[in-house]
Amino acid sequence: MPAHDDVKTRKADFLMAFGETARARRGELGLTQRQLDARMGYRGKFSGGVERGTRNLTLDNLYLLAAALETDPRDLLADDVTRDGPASGTTPSTRTKPA
């Protein structure tokens, strides 16, 4: 079983990589954080917390975020994010979807 500190570090790295992927997709769409929050039905700084890696999402919010970013939730959780952070030059809209 991994050490607690190792799990905490990997979790923080994952949330940061996820946030970077979400930020990249938001940028592709030309949206501000406020506009993204509005698309999700929020009036706060929800997406900013996601992008900074400080907000841990529920599955419901993952789905809302993906819909607001016009992508599939699985694209936000793709292997390159879960392993090493966003792959250089790839974002959810440029990845090849499995058949």
Side-chain angles (χ1 to χ4, degrees):
M1 185 164 198
H4 181 70
D5 289 342
D6 183 48
V7 171
K8 286 177 66 175
T9 299
R10 287 187 294 143
K11 176 185 170 188
D13 291 346
F14 170 78
L15 291 174
M16 288 293 297
F18 179 86
E20 290 170 12
T21 300
R23 179 182 294 126
R25 180 64 182 145
R26 179 177 61 79
E28 288 175 0
L29 296 173
L31 297 172
T32 66
Q33 288 179 346
R34 181 174 283 175
Q35 290 168 325
L36 179 58
D37 288 344
R39 281 184 172 203
M40 293 180 66
Y42 290 107
R43 291 184 51 201
K45 298 182 181 193
F46 184 86
S47 61
V50 171
E51 292 180 4
R52 287 188 305 277
T54 58
R55 182 173 297 275
N56 193 357
L57 298 175
T58 64
L59 291 176
D60 289 337
N61 283 327
L62 171 61
Y63 188 84
L64 287 173
L65 177 63
L69 291 173
E70 300 173 11
T71 193
D72 188 286
R74 292 171 287 203
D75 288 338
L76 296 174
L77 295 169
D79 279 347
D80 57 334
V81 171
T82 58
R83 291 190 185 145
D84 300 317
S88 177
T90 62
T91 57
S93 65
T94 62
R95 286 191 194 104
T96 306
K97 295 200 188 307

